[in-house]
Amino acid sequence: MNKHYKKNNIICYEQIQKEILMLVNEHKEYLYWHIRKIVISHEDTDKVLHTCIKIAYNNARAINNKLDLLKIATEKSIDFLKEKKENDFPNKNISIETILSNTLENDNLFQASDEETKLYAASLLLSENQRLIFNMKYFDNMDYSDIAQILEQSKESCQRTFLSALSKVEAILKLY
Amino acid sequence: MSKIYNTAGNPFKVPENYFLNLEERIEEKLHNTEISSPKTSFIQIIKPYLWLTSVFVGLYIFTNILLNTKIDSEHKIIKASNIIPSDKEVKLSEHKKISNEDIIVYLSDSDIDSDLIISSLQEQNE
């Protein structure tokens, strides 16, 4: 009985994994751009994207929809940035925001007008939480309920954070 | 919500045909790496039986404690009923059928001062 149970369990799990693969392929571009706005560099985005897909594939039972994928993508992007700071700048007292600003400045695949460059540069000066919420609300126009689910925060907290991020970005842009 | 700038279009670009090849690359990477399937460990197999056993053991211990407290309380009631005196006042001599002579012999044999006995009796009479 145990062998049958195990066999059926494996077959069911393989089917779930196939469904996850379909879900990933359906939303791969959206995932890519979500990660790209966090890590900025295309090469880093590619690495993080493959990591996320592998995690989703190996934890197929826990993934139900696009929001679950975005949650993994957000967590892995943040982890990647922290690892990058530790590996590339181990002894230097440099912030992740500074690293990202340098990446943006030197990225050949970032082709923006002056205004857009200033806007993205200003968004990189926000704190980690503010920047995540600002990206999702301002650039992707996501609902607060979805943002709250991804970041595991309350809807009201996300709203407040976004408004403070928006006012901060406006203040920075006025300085330019 | 008003846009700060009119950011029409995405300023971030990707290499040519990146998304076209992405699906193939994803599948290739997933098949090259080890794909984990759910492993049913020994503990997972015996977990439901362990749970059942613990339920029965818990029930057994609980009923034992309950029964023991009942028996103990019954024993206490029996003991208490032996200690509690009846409503009627019972004199020691009548209850135990001890004669006054026996009492006198006992008092004389013991080292109690006779003056003390007399003074206490007088106090009682008063």
Side-chain angles (χ1 to χ4, degrees), chain A residues 1 4 21 26 38 58 62 64 67-68 70 79 95 103 109-110 117 119 124-125 136 160 162 164 166 169 171:
Chain A
M1 188 183 150
H4 287 300
L21 206 53
E26 192 187 329
I38 300 173
N58 289 335
N64 296 312
L67 288 181
D68 292 333
L70 286 173
D79 290 344
S95 66
T103 310
L109 291 171
F110 180 71
T117 308
L119 174 60
L124 291 177
L125 297 176
M136 285 191 266
R160 270 183 267 124
F162 172 71
S164 68
L166 191 66
V169 166

Short mmCIF file of all heavy atoms in Angstrom, two decimals, chain A residues 1 4 21 26 38 58 62 64 67-68 70 79 95 103 109-110 117 119 124-125 136 160 162 164 166 169 171:
data_model
loop_
_atom_site.label_atom_id
_atom_site.label_comp_id
_atom_site.label_asym_id
_atom_site.label_seq_id
_atom_site.Cartn_x
_atom_site.Cartn_y
_atom_site.Cartn_z
N MET A 1 0.85 -1.21 0.00
CA MET A 1 0.00 0.00 0.00
C MET A 1 0.87 1.24 0.00
O MET A 1 0.59 2.22 -0.66
CB MET A 1 -0.89 -0.02 1.25
CG MET A 1 -1.92 1.09 1.24
SD MET A 1 -2.86 1.09 2.74
CE MET A 1 -3.25 2.79 2.88
N HIS A 4 2.22 2.00 -3.53
CA HIS A 4 1.21 2.63 -4.39
C HIS A 4 1.02 4.09 -4.00
O HIS A 4 0.91 4.96 -4.84
CB HIS A 4 -0.14 1.89 -4.29
CG HIS A 4 -0.13 0.56 -4.97
ND1 HIS A 4 0.13 0.43 -6.33
CD2 HIS A 4 -0.32 -0.68 -4.51
CE1 HIS A 4 0.09 -0.86 -6.65
NE2 HIS A 4 -0.18 -1.55 -5.57
N LEU A 21 5.14 25.02 -14.02
CA LEU A 21 5.94 25.43 -15.18
C LEU A 21 5.09 26.25 -16.14
O LEU A 21 5.53 27.25 -16.71
CB LEU A 21 6.47 24.18 -15.88
CG LEU A 21 7.76 24.33 -16.69
CD1 LEU A 21 8.85 24.95 -15.85
CD2 LEU A 21 8.21 22.99 -17.21
N GLU A 26 3.67 31.53 -18.28
CA GLU A 26 2.61 32.54 -18.53
C GLU A 26 3.02 33.91 -17.99
O GLU A 26 2.73 34.93 -18.59
CB GLU A 26 1.33 32.06 -17.85
CG GLU A 26 0.08 32.81 -18.23
CD GLU A 26 -1.11 32.38 -17.38
OE1 GLU A 26 -1.15 31.21 -16.96
OE2 GLU A 26 -1.98 33.23 -17.12
N ILE A 38 14.03 45.82 -9.22
CA ILE A 38 14.63 45.73 -7.89
C ILE A 38 16.16 45.65 -8.01
O ILE A 38 16.89 46.35 -7.30
CB ILE A 38 14.09 44.51 -7.11
CG1 ILE A 38 12.58 44.62 -6.95
CG2 ILE A 38 14.76 44.41 -5.74
CD1 ILE A 38 11.93 43.39 -6.34
N ASN A 58 10.47 23.38 -7.19
CA ASN A 58 10.74 22.41 -6.13
C ASN A 58 9.77 22.53 -4.96
O ASN A 58 9.75 21.66 -4.10
CB ASN A 58 12.17 22.56 -5.64
CG ASN A 58 13.19 22.09 -6.65
OD1 ASN A 58 12.87 21.25 -7.49
ND2 ASN A 58 14.38 22.65 -6.62
N ALA A 62 3.28 24.75 -2.76
CA ALA A 62 3.04 26.03 -2.07
C ALA A 62 2.66 27.15 -3.03
O ALA A 62 2.31 28.24 -2.60
CB ALA A 62 4.30 26.42 -1.30
N ASN A 64 0.31 28.82 -5.81
CA ASN A 64 -1.05 28.73 -6.34
C ASN A 64 -1.32 29.72 -7.47
O ASN A 64 -2.17 29.48 -8.31
CB ASN A 64 -2.06 29.00 -5.21
CG ASN A 64 -1.98 27.93 -4.15
OD1 ASN A 64 -1.97 26.75 -4.47
ND2 ASN A 64 -1.89 28.33 -2.90
N LEU A 67 0.76 35.81 -7.59
CA LEU A 67 1.22 36.54 -6.39
C LEU A 67 2.24 35.73 -5.60
O LEU A 67 3.19 36.30 -5.04
CB LEU A 67 0.03 36.91 -5.50
CG LEU A 67 -0.89 38.00 -6.00
CD1 LEU A 67 -1.99 38.28 -5.01
CD2 LEU A 67 -0.13 39.29 -6.29
N ASP A 68 2.05 34.43 -5.56
CA ASP A 68 3.02 33.58 -4.86
C ASP A 68 4.37 33.64 -5.57
O ASP A 68 5.42 33.67 -4.92
CB ASP A 68 2.53 32.12 -4.81
CG ASP A 68 1.32 31.96 -3.91
OD1 ASP A 68 1.17 32.76 -2.98
OD2 ASP A 68 0.51 31.04 -4.17
N LEU A 70 5.44 36.16 -7.36
CA LEU A 70 5.98 37.51 -7.12
C LEU A 70 6.57 37.61 -5.72
O LEU A 70 7.58 38.30 -5.51
CB LEU A 70 4.89 38.57 -7.30
CG LEU A 70 4.47 38.85 -8.74
CD1 LEU A 70 3.27 39.79 -8.78
CD2 LEU A 70 5.62 39.47 -9.53
N ASP A 79 17.41 39.14 -1.17
CA ASP A 79 18.52 38.28 -0.72
C ASP A 79 19.72 38.41 -1.65
O ASP A 79 20.87 38.47 -1.20
CB ASP A 79 18.07 36.81 -0.69
CG ASP A 79 17.09 36.53 0.43
OD1 ASP A 79 16.99 37.37 1.34
OD2 ASP A 79 16.40 35.49 0.37
N SER A 95 26.25 51.30 0.91
CA SER A 95 24.86 50.87 0.99
C SER A 95 24.43 50.21 -0.33
O SER A 95 25.03 50.44 -1.38
CB SER A 95 23.94 52.06 1.28
OG SER A 95 23.97 52.95 0.19
N THR A 103 25.13 50.89 -10.59
CA THR A 103 24.72 49.92 -11.62
C THR A 103 23.87 50.59 -12.67
O THR A 103 24.06 50.38 -13.88
CB THR A 103 23.93 48.76 -10.99
OG1 THR A 103 24.64 48.23 -9.89
CG2 THR A 103 23.67 47.66 -12.00
N LEU A 109 21.94 48.70 -20.91
CA LEU A 109 20.58 48.31 -21.28
C LEU A 109 19.53 49.21 -20.60
O LEU A 109 18.34 48.91 -20.65
CB LEU A 109 20.32 46.84 -20.90
CG LEU A 109 21.11 45.84 -21.74
CD1 LEU A 109 20.96 44.43 -21.17
CD2 LEU A 109 20.64 45.84 -23.19
N PHE A 110 20.00 50.28 -19.98
CA PHE A 110 19.06 51.26 -19.43
C PHE A 110 19.12 52.48 -20.33
O PHE A 110 20.08 53.25 -20.31
CB PHE A 110 19.46 51.62 -17.99
CG PHE A 110 18.54 52.64 -17.35
CD1 PHE A 110 17.25 52.31 -16.98
CD2 PHE A 110 18.96 53.94 -17.11
CE1 PHE A 110 16.40 53.25 -16.39
CE2 PHE A 110 18.13 54.89 -16.52
CZ PHE A 110 16.84 54.53 -16.16
N THR A 117 15.61 59.02 -16.04
CA THR A 117 16.82 58.67 -15.29
C THR A 117 16.76 59.26 -13.89
O THR A 117 17.07 58.58 -12.91
CB THR A 117 18.07 59.19 -16.02
OG1 THR A 117 18.04 58.75 -17.38
CG2 THR A 117 19.33 58.69 -15.35
N LEU A 119 14.09 60.09 -12.25
CA LEU A 119 13.03 59.43 -11.48
C LEU A 119 13.52 58.10 -10.91
O LEU A 119 13.34 57.82 -9.72
CB LEU A 119 11.82 59.21 -12.38
CG LEU A 119 10.66 58.40 -11.78
CD1 LEU A 119 10.11 59.10 -10.54
CD2 LEU A 119 9.56 58.18 -12.79
N LEU A 124 15.81 54.96 -6.25
CA LEU A 124 16.86 54.13 -5.65
C LEU A 124 17.34 54.68 -4.31
O LEU A 124 18.00 53.97 -3.55
CB LEU A 124 18.05 54.01 -6.60
CG LEU A 124 17.82 53.19 -7.87
CD1 LEU A 124 19.05 53.21 -8.75
CD2 LEU A 124 17.44 51.76 -7.53
N LEU A 125 17.00 55.94 -4.01
CA LEU A 125 17.39 56.53 -2.74
C LEU A 125 16.40 56.23 -1.62
O LEU A 125 16.62 56.60 -0.46
CB LEU A 125 17.55 58.05 -2.90
CG LEU A 125 18.66 58.48 -3.87
CD1 LEU A 125 18.67 59.99 -4.03
CD2 LEU A 125 20.03 57.99 -3.41
N MET A 136 6.02 48.73 -7.17
CA MET A 136 4.80 47.97 -7.47
C MET A 136 3.59 48.87 -7.69
O MET A 136 2.72 48.58 -8.50
CB MET A 136 4.53 46.98 -6.32
CG MET A 136 5.47 45.78 -6.36
SD MET A 136 4.97 44.49 -5.24
CE MET A 136 5.94 44.88 -3.80
N ARG A 160 0.38 53.90 3.42
CA ARG A 160 1.15 54.96 4.09
C ARG A 160 2.58 55.00 3.58
O ARG A 160 3.13 56.09 3.33
CB ARG A 160 1.17 54.70 5.61
CG ARG A 160 0.03 55.35 6.35
CD ARG A 160 0.13 55.14 7.83
NE ARG A 160 -0.61 53.96 8.24
CZ ARG A 160 -0.12 52.92 8.89
NH1 ARG A 160 1.13 52.91 9.28
NH2 ARG A 160 -0.86 51.88 9.19
N PHE A 162 3.70 54.01 0.70
CA PHE A 162 3.75 54.52 -0.67
C PHE A 162 3.66 56.04 -0.69
O PHE A 162 4.40 56.72 -1.41
CB PHE A 162 2.64 53.92 -1.53
CG PHE A 162 2.55 54.56 -2.89
CD1 PHE A 162 3.53 54.35 -3.84
CD2 PHE A 162 1.51 55.42 -3.20
CE1 PHE A 162 3.48 54.96 -5.08
CE2 PHE A 162 1.44 56.04 -4.45
CZ PHE A 162 2.43 55.81 -5.39
N SER A 164 4.46 58.14 1.62
CA SER A 164 5.70 58.77 2.12
C SER A 164 6.81 58.63 1.10
O SER A 164 7.63 59.56 0.91
CB SER A 164 6.11 58.18 3.47
OG SER A 164 6.51 56.85 3.31
N LEU A 166 6.39 58.51 -2.15
CA LEU A 166 6.05 59.43 -3.24
C LEU A 166 6.49 60.86 -2.89
O LEU A 166 7.10 61.56 -3.72
CB LEU A 166 4.54 59.39 -3.50
CG LEU A 166 4.03 60.07 -4.75
CD1 LEU A 166 4.54 59.37 -5.99
CD2 LEU A 166 2.51 60.07 -4.77
N VAL A 169 10.29 61.08 -3.10
CA VAL A 169 10.78 61.14 -4.49
C VAL A 169 10.54 62.53 -5.07
O VAL A 169 11.41 63.10 -5.75
CB VAL A 169 10.10 60.05 -5.35
CG1 VAL A 169 10.33 60.29 -6.83
CG2 VAL A 169 10.63 58.68 -4.97
N ALA A 171 10.36 65.32 -3.46
CA ALA A 171 11.31 66.24 -2.81
C ALA A 171 12.70 66.11 -3.43
O ALA A 171 13.38 67.12 -3.67
CB ALA A 171 11.37 65.94 -1.32
#
